Amino acid sequence: MTSFKTQLAKAGINNFFFLLLGTILLAYLFPDWGEARGALSIDKLTYYGVSLIFFFYGVKISPATLKLGLSNWRLHLLIQGTTFIIFPLLILILYGLFGMENNLFWLGTFYLAALPSTVSSSVVMVSIAGGNLPAAIFNASISSIVGILITPLWMGFFLSAENADFEVMNTIWTLVQQIFIPVVLGFLFHGWLFTLVQKYGKLLKNFDQFVILLIVFSAFSHSFGNNMFEGQNILGLGLWMLLLFVFMALGMYLLGRLLSFNRADKITVLFCGSKKSLVQGAVMGKILFPDPTIFGVVLLPLMLYHTLQLILGSALAEKLAILPPKDQD
């Protein structure tokens, strides 16, 4: 039984995964709970929770790691370029060709394409597969910071094209206040608080997950309460997310080969360039999409993609870990 649980955890099927599913089910059964107001409303709890998440994230960013990572600029340029340019442009092209209906799902797909890469899961999978771990840490850290500016700019472009009411500069300023400034403050306190954050790492991880679950519950409660999912092809969306992840992972692998990266760097490109962050997506989306009824639908493609990248990414990392280096080139 223990071995089975370990294998599930490696594939991303852990306690948080089941809590996410349970949170969505709870939102479906009791949508009114997520719409409650008051001194301890979910909106107020998540507002301060998001800032705390990014403050402690800033504390965990190591100046030494950032300095060391600057030397491998070709690798970083490829990963960041894929994350913030190639990925969104691909979805824009597909939207121009096929985006006739289900505009909220297309909005959600473009939103996930414009998001930063993950932090923890990318680093873990690169480590398991034998990739360039310092480069993975560097890219995960930089991606999260760059995304605070780039993601709302992309969303402003997409929504402006759809004639939606979206104020880019006001949104960026809100993100700066709630996310960027806490990250910078945390980074400045790295030397004083890093040891303490490491000591209570598990507790802080649980806090992060609790805030994400609250955001997900609030968004899906409003969407279920307003029947936003009725008549939607969820299965088709899941298949679309599967094809998207496979295409991006394969594309990153081929780009690594084309640029003649070594084995460790190719692994880092594959995992860091094909992943998107549920944490960033949930917390930034709460600001980018203030209407929780819409946000629940927009968040669904990201949650499906997140699940697939955990399961398939973990299986791929395990496979690469046992393959001889010559079979990975």
Side-chain angles (χ1 to χ4, degrees):
M1 180 64 72
T2 303
S3 176
F4 180 67
K5 277 189 71 175
T6 302
Q7 291 301 316
L8 285 177
K10 286 181 179 179
I13 311 299
N14 51 23
N15 290 338
F16 183 62
F17 175 81
F18 289 111
L19 284 171
L20 271 175
L21 294 181
T23 298
I24 296 172
L25 177 62
L26 197 65
Y28 174 74
L29 295 174
F30 306 102
D32 293 343
W33 292 4
E35 300 176 8
R37 303 293 175 189
L40 290 177
S41 68
I42 290 178
D43 283 345
K44 288 187 178 180
L45 288 172
T46 54
Y47 178 86
Y48 296 109
V50 165
S51 295
L52 281 173
I53 284 175
F54 281 93
F55 173 78
F56 288 116
Y57 173 72
V59 173
K60 288 184 280 188
I61 298 175
S62 168
T65 299
L66 294 181
K67 186 177 179 180
L68 181 66
L70 288 173
S71 59
N72 202 349
W73 62 269
R74 288 174 69 243
L75 174 66
H76 307 320
L77 199 60
L78 174 60
I79 293 174
Q80 299 305 317
T82 301
T83 300
F84 292 114
I85 299 175
I86 295 177
F87 213 135
L89 286 177
L90 171 65
I91 301 304
L92 277 180
I93 292 169
L94 293 173
Y95 177 68
L97 294 173
F98 306 109
M100 301 296 181
E101 54 186 24
N102 289 330
N103 281 342
L104 284 180
F105 280 170
W106 275 107
L107 176 60
T109 303
F110 184 78
Y111 177 53
L112 87 85
L115 283 169
S117 180
T118 59
V119 178
S120 57
S121 67
S122 290
V123 171
V124 168
M125 290 179 194
V126 167
S127 177
I128 291 172
N132 187 335
L133 191 57
I137 296 171
F138 176 87
N139 275 284
S141 302
I142 291 298
S143 181
S144 296
I145 296 171
V146 171
I148 296 170
L149 175 64
I150 300 298
T151 301
L153 287 176
W154 267 122
M155 296 313 301
F157 171 78
F158 186 86
L159 290 170
S160 296
E162 291 297 300
N163 298 315
D165 184 17
F166 185 80
E167 298 182 8
V168 176
M169 296 313 299
N170 286 343
T171 303
I172 290 177
W173 175 236
T174 303
L175 289 169
V176 167
Q177 290 178 293
Q178 199 172 351
I179 296 177
F180 184 74
I181 291 175
V183 169
V184 172
L185 288 174
F187 181 73
L188 294 175
F189 280 91
H190 172 84
W192 290 278
L193 297 178
F194 181 68
T195 304
L196 194 65
V197 166
Q198 278 191 314
K199 181 179 179 181
Y200 294 102
K202 186 175 181 180
L203 183 63
L204 289 172
K205 181 180 179 181
N206 290 338
F207 172 75
D208 292 354
Q209 292 179 348
F210 174 69
V211 173
I212 301 305
L213 291 173
L214 284 179
I215 293 172
V216 169
F217 179 72
S218 175
F220 276 83
S221 292
H222 284 81
S223 295
F224 282 128
N226 288 275
N227 301 315
M228 294 294 289
F229 294 110
E230 284 190 3
Q232 302 291 351
N233 187 0
I234 308 296
L235 184 60
L237 179 65
L239 179 59
W240 160 225
M241 291 299 105
L242 173 62
L243 292 174
L244 182 60
F245 175 75
V246 171
F247 179 85
M248 289 306 302
L250 181 61
M252 296 309 297
Y253 171 75
L254 293 176
L255 282 173
R257 291 195 65 173
L258 183 65
L259 294 173
S260 301
F261 286 154
N262 61 39
R263 172 184 175 273
D265 284 353
K266 280 188 288 189
I267 289 172
T268 304
V269 167
L270 190 159
F271 287 107
C272 292
S274 62
K275 289 178 172 293
K276 292 295 181 176
S277 173
L278 176 62
V279 173
Q280 289 267 23
V283 297
M284 290 177 68
K286 191 174 183 301
I287 299 168
L288 292 169
F289 307 101
D291 184 347
T293 302
I294 293 175
F295 182 38
V297 183
V298 170
L299 194 59
L300 186 60
L302 175 61
M303 293 189 66
L304 292 172
Y305 190 90
H306 170 79
T307 302
L308 290 166
Q309 75 183 9
L310 282 177
I311 296 172
L312 299 180
S314 297
L316 184 57
E318 292 287 341
K319 183 69 174 177
L320 289 171
I322 61 176
L323 278 178
K326 65 179 181 179
D327 292 334
Q328 300 179 39
D329 295 328

